Amino acid sequence: MTPSDFRRIALSFPGAEESSHMAAADFRVGGRIFATLASVKEGFGNLMLTPEQQALFLADAPDIFLPIKGGWGRNGATHIRLAVADEPTLTGALSTAYKLRLQKNAPATRRKTQMTKILLTFALLTPAVLAPRTFAQQTLSTLVGRDRVLLVFAPSALDRRFGQQLDAFDHHEVDLTSRDLVLIPLLQQPDPASPSTVLRNLRPPLVHADEQITVRRRFHVGPSDFAVILLGKTGAETLRSTTPIPIARLTRSLDAMAHTKN
């Protein structure tokens, strides 16, 4: 099979679309990646699988499949050797990755207790915002049971520490999104400039200024403070730093959370 075959099959699934990161093609459904051609120069396509699915593919066809190196591979990301794979094998592998992404994207309507934890964690259900359903509440409801949230507080987008944090994430956006991470910048002063490449790639949801004040109070972060706080899928705080977090530290935390299903 060829990269063109990989693209053709990936885009044949309902709702699948092609995007790119650093000139490498990726394939998404619901805005989330299920496969990429980031390793096409080495002759591979990449599949976003679970570790259990990866183990089954490797056991069945070790000459075709192999884990991607590092923590990403330990989390389930898998190479498929295009020159060796036939169409049924490639179609089945891509279908597995696509269905997994659909499952992760599905609204967690059966997890009402988790929804309550998320909303209470953010403390957004105050009398001032209970009447109309705000944009931020809609955003948070889509995260329940599905995503991990990284809150980045800063006085403004021009803050040196905020810039350092974004620089640490540069070129690692696919690693972060594949780990179900959603970045939410909480800036005391609105960003007067165009979003950085990192923010454009991560597509963070917006939070209204009034609600940002409530979130700052909830997490005890002052208007002039810088803080980075990682929340698990249950809404529990798992990591906090008052300095920019290196990408290696963040991915280690995310991988540890994945093992505990948080």
Side-chain angles (χ1 to χ4, degrees), residues 28-40:
R28 308 177 183 224
V29 61
R32 298 302 182 87
I33 296 171
F34 66 91
T36 83
L37 283 171
S39 304
V40 68

Side-chain angles (χ1 to χ4, degrees), residues 122-143:
F122 279 87
L124 292 178
L125 291 181
T126 60
V129 296
L130 264 175
R133 190 178 183 192
T134 66
F135 178 80
Q137 285 175 281
Q138 293 174 9
T139 298
L140 293 175
S141 70
T142 67
L143 306 180

Side-chain angles (χ1 to χ4, degrees), residues 166-187:
L166 294 187
D167 287 344
F169 295 161
D170 195 17
H171 307 321
H172 296 281
E173 294 91 337
V174 172
D175 287 354
L176 297 177
T177 56
S178 70
R179 289 172 166 85
D180 297 330
L181 184 76
V182 174
L183 172 71
I184 301 182
L186 296 159
L187 305 174

Side-chain angles (χ1 to χ4, degrees), residues 95-165:
S95 177
T96 299
Y98 168 80
K99 290 176 181 178
L100 174 64
R101 187 70 264 175
L102 279 182
Q103 181 181 1
K104 289 184 175 182
N105 287 354
T109 55
R110 297 185 301 275
R111 302 189 181 184
K112 292 183 180 180
T113 56
Q114 287 182 314
M115 181 179 293
T116 301
K117 288 180 182 179
I118 286 283
L119 294 175
L120 289 176
T121 298
F122 279 87
L124 292 178
L125 291 181
T126 60
V129 296
L130 264 175
R133 190 178 183 192
T134 66
F135 178 80
Q137 285 175 281
Q138 293 174 9
T139 298
L140 293 175
S141 70
T142 67
L143 306 180
V144 175
R146 192 185 74 191
D147 296 299
R148 301 171 181 99
V149 178
L150 188 71
L151 303 174
V152 181
F153 298 87
S156 78
L158 302 178
D159 185 89
R160 173 181 53 84
R161 297 161 296 183
F162 183 72
Q164 290 174 341
Q165 186 64 85

Side-chain angles (χ1 to χ4, degrees), residues 120-123 213-220 237 240:
L120 289 176
T121 298
F122 279 87
I213 295 173
T214 305
V215 176
R216 283 180 176 274
R217 289 174 179 166
R218 167 63 182 84
F219 290 100
H220 308 290
E237 180 179 325
R240 178 186 286 248

